[in-house]
Amino acid sequence: MSLFGTDGVRGLANGPLTAELALTLAQATAVVLGQGRIAEARRATGRRLTAVVARDPRVSGQFLSAAVEAGLASSGVDVLDAGTLPTPAAAFLIGDVDADFGVMISASHNPAPDNGIKIFARGGVKLPDAVERRIEEAMAGEKLRPTGGDVGRVVRFSDAEDRYVLHLLASLPHRLDGLHVVLDCAHGAASGVSPETFRNAGAKVTVIGNDPDGLNINDGYGSTHLEKLSAEVVRVGADVGIAHDGDADRCLAVDAEGRIIDGDQIMAILAVAMRDRGQLHRDTLVATVMSNLGLHRAMHAQGIQVETTAVGDRYVLERMTEGRYSLGGEQSGHLIMSAFATTGDGLLTGLHLCAEMARQRKSLAELASVMTVFPQVLVNVRGVERSRATAPDVAAAVAEAERELGESGRVLLRPSGTELMVRVMVEAADEATATRIAEQLAAVVRG
């Protein structure tokens, strides 16, 4: 089984994800990403390679980042230690200082005992599968062993946060003056930088989930737990609530009444705004197969094309890069604005969403009305082989469900990439119909 998953190497810290593994992975990364024309040119001029390393506030991030930095420095790579920062900040900084690559220590929205190692190539882009395989193979091979003055240095990246904040503020089409924003930072990596940035953009800010202790990340707060944010927005009479996850590469929102605005709705709002400003390349939005049918309907009505990919922001980014598209993302709140970021950026997304509220002088509910959300029911059928998703009896049941739904819904069966499980997703004009058809199809999948 591959060491790398859909978003780096992830697991229980000090379980499968040990300091030894982190060090060896860093050494292998130096071997593989230290190759190439630019790296050779730098060495020819006597310069060492440079890597940016950052982490979220999990307590295990301390020893894992130390191990990664040791592995890189022992391989002759200079390390810029950016401390605790969001994943998209690390990605931005790699390009901003022209580093050769970077490493982010985070398990995103997972609970505190987990952690992960995400590797970014030059420019702050995620690694292709083929490069990840080469790094995994290199873990068993010879390492770089410079001595004396050729070993790498580890230095504090003292202005990392300032660079990122200035970048975010420079991206805004409109200031946030007059808006009252509640931020839920998930006790994560954005706990310091997000409130600072929103205030600098002109918003009145109330913050929850901004007291990380290394163990409370994502615990009852953040984009996977929106109840507290909804309640706080209503309690203080704010205009909008913005929720990040642990490493702040996601953004979900709630309106002034505490109603959830998901990633599909945020994409719809931003796509229309960018189209109107001539910034939506080829009037196209990139979304995944899990995006709501309502998004497709709304974009069609606006004359915007939607291209779909497999689930995962890396696949969204690949399609965006191929087509040079400017906006894409997932229902979960991973949104990529390619003019400003190489990965999902929850702060960037939240800022631009609020900027549209301020620019158009409309409430979030008014902006979100561009899209009608179809009820979506997801049933996970566990303990079945992936092949059940395309078995003849299942295909016949899906065809019958699609005939019943017509243009008022859709069906998607998706085998899990990591478990013996098939996911059955049904959208319909009403929740009762979606639930009934999803349960019928799940029964057929179970056989």
Side-chain angles (χ1 to χ4, degrees):
M1 187 172 179
S2 175
L3 179 65
F4 286 87
T6 56
D7 199 12
V9 178
R10 195 174 293 186
L12 180 65
N14 240 16
L17 188 58
T18 62
E20 293 85 354
L21 186 148
L23 185 142
T24 305
L25 181 63
Q27 291 174 319
T29 299
V31 170
V32 173
L33 298 187
Q35 301 169 356
R37 178 178 55 81
I38 296 177
E40 293 300 328
R42 290 192 175 187
R43 277 191 283 264
T45 60
R47 296 172 60 194
R48 288 182 295 275
L49 301 185
T50 302
V52 173
V53 176
R55 61 184 179 87
D56 72 24
R58 291 163 214 267
V59 66
S60 60
Q62 297 173 4
F63 78 77
L64 287 171
S65 61
V68 166
E69 291 175 357
L72 295 176
S74 70
S75 301
V77 177
D78 285 344
V79 176
L80 293 173
D81 183 347
T84 301
L85 277 179
T87 291
F92 162 73
L93 291 166
I94 293 164
D96 194 47
V97 300
D98 193 28
D100 295 280
F101 57 93
V103 181
M104 178 70 191
I105 313 297
S106 174
S108 191
H109 60 281
N110 283 24
D114 293 340
N115 217 323
I117 301 175
K118 304 179 185 183
I119 302 170
F120 293 90
R122 178 183 301 280
V125 298
K126 291 186 176 181
L127 301 181
D129 293 343
V131 176
E132 290 182 341
R133 286 193 294 270
R134 286 171 54 201
I135 291 174
E136 189 167 349
E137 291 166 359
M139 292 176 70
E142 288 294 319
K143 308 300 186 296
L144 302 172
R145 304 287 187 186
T147 57
D150 292 330
V151 299
R153 278 66 163 167
V154 179
V155 297
R156 179 81 175 107
F157 196 160
S158 57
D159 63 343
E161 183 172 309
D162 291 341
R163 284 173 177 259
Y164 180 54
V165 170
L166 290 173
H167 159 68
L168 292 173
L169 294 174
S171 77
L172 283 178
H174 198 284
R175 284 183 56 81
L176 312 187
D177 300 278
L179 282 185
H180 184 180
V181 182
V182 178
L183 297 175
D184 182 348
C185 298
H187 296 308
S191 294
V193 69
S194 186
E196 174 190 354
T197 308
F198 274 82
R199 289 189 179 108
N200 286 342
K204 174 183 177 182
V205 176
T206 299
V207 193
I208 63 173
N210 67 323
D211 189 22
D213 62 9
L215 299 173
N216 61 357
I217 189 169
N218 301 313
D219 187 7
Y221 287 85
S223 61
T224 53
H225 305 280
L226 294 170
E227 301 84 4
K228 290 185 176 68
L229 178 61
S230 293
E232 187 68 5
V233 167
V234 173
R235 187 186 74 81
V236 301
D239 298 296
V240 58
I242 298 294
H244 305 307
D245 61 337
D247 68 337
D249 62 355
R250 294 188 189 192
C251 170
L252 293 180
V254 301
D255 67 16
E257 301 299 321
R259 292 181 294 249
I260 295 172
I261 306 297
D262 68 15
D264 284 342
Q265 295 167 284
I266 296 172
M267 278 194 287
I269 294 167
L270 295 183
V272 172
M274 291 172 65
R275 189 274 314 277
D276 291 347
R277 292 198 298 271
Q279 297 173 346
L280 190 68
H281 183 62
R282 292 168 58 185
D283 289 346
T284 298
L285 171 69
V286 180
T288 76
V289 294
M290 291 299 289
S291 279
N292 194 273
L293 178 61
L295 176 65
H296 293 263
R297 291 271 183 97
M299 294 300 94
H300 178 75
Q302 292 286 334
I304 296 172
Q305 180 180 341
V306 180
E307 294 208 4
T308 57
T309 74
V311 174
D313 64 335
R314 65 186 301 170
Y315 302 113
V316 172
L317 181 59
E318 284 175 6
R319 185 68 197 101
M320 290 178 66
T321 302
E322 290 168 3
R324 295 188 295 114
Y325 297 126
S326 46
L327 180 65
E330 298 185 282
Q331 193 179 69
S332 61
H334 284 115
L335 268 70
I336 302 168
M337 304 179 73
S338 61
F340 310 111
T342 58
T343 187
D345 189 330
L347 278 75
L348 182 72
T349 300
L351 286 163
H352 278 254
L353 180 64
C354 292
E356 283 310 310
M357 294 175 62
R359 186 180 71 85
Q360 298 187 43
R361 297 185 179 182
K362 291 183 177 179
S363 70
L364 183 54
E366 288 177 292
L367 293 179
S369 68
V370 70
M371 171 184 161
T372 300
V373 178
F374 277 58
Q376 189 178 75
V377 174
L378 179 66
V379 179
N380 292 325
V381 185
R382 301 181 184 277
V384 297
E385 296 291 340
R386 293 170 56 91
S387 59
R388 284 298 293 160
T390 55
D393 60 330
V394 174
V398 169
E400 177 57 34
E402 289 174 337
R403 279 193 293 272
E404 178 182 346
L405 290 168
E407 295 185 358
S408 65
R410 70 180 177 122
V411 175
L412 176 66
L413 266 66
R414 189 168 67 90
S416 170
T418 57
E419 301 177 69
L420 279 177
M421 180 170 68
V422 172
R423 294 184 171 91
V424 178
M425 189 274 285
V426 177
E427 288 172 342
D430 62 271
E431 189 164 0
T433 300
T435 300
R436 174 177 58 80
I437 293 177
E439 290 175 349
Q440 288 173 349
L441 289 175
V444 176
V445 171
R446 291 187 188 98

